[in-house]
Amino acid sequence: RVLFRSVLEYVSNPKTFIEIIAKQNFQQIIASYCTIEKFSDLNQRMSLNWKSHLSIFDLIEYFTSNGYALHKIDDFRNNTILVFFQK
């Protein structure tokens, strides 16, 4: 199992990062991310030095296209929590 919390916002190429993590064959991945749906002000995101600005749909696509199935979505303090299991 792996947990990303306040990580993906600082990754310049989250799609590649997720591809690399998926190759590690974790049974479960839990990702916490502040999506653009929750915090859409791009200037503020950039002022926080965030490098990625993804929608919830982007995240789901990146994980599901790398062998994971979405199990659960939740919200916590303006973050979207996504739980994936290996297909």
Side-chain angles (χ1 to χ4, degrees):
R1 175 187 310 179
V2 67
L3 166 68
F4 305 144
R5 184 175 172 261
S6 300
V7 172
L8 290 174
E9 290 87 348
Y10 298 96
V11 175
S12 296
N13 191 338
K15 184 176 182 180
T16 299
F17 180 82
I18 291 168
E19 288 170 357
I20 292 167
I21 293 300
K23 290 178 184 174
Q24 304 306 309
N25 293 316
F26 292 106
Q27 183 181 9
Q28 181 184 44
I29 296 177
I30 302 168
S32 171
Y33 185 81
C34 188
T35 63
I36 58 171
E37 291 88 357
K38 300 283 183 190
F39 188 52
S40 61
D41 187 321
L42 190 57
N43 289 326
Q44 280 191 308
R45 293 178 73 91
M46 291 169 51
S47 75
L48 295 169
N49 293 317
W50 290 357
K51 306 295 183 202
S52 66
H53 313 288
L54 304 174
S55 73
I56 190 170
F57 302 106
D58 294 327
L59 285 170
I60 293 169
E61 169 62 25
Y62 293 169
F63 283 102
T64 58
S65 67
N66 281 285
Y68 285 84
L70 181 63
H71 174 71
K72 183 178 180 182
I73 299 175
D74 209 344
D75 291 316
F76 182 74
R77 295 185 182 168
N78 278 342
N79 283 287
T80 301
I81 312 299
L82 300 108
V83 179
F84 296 92
F85 284 100
Q86 258 185 336
K87 291 181 185 175

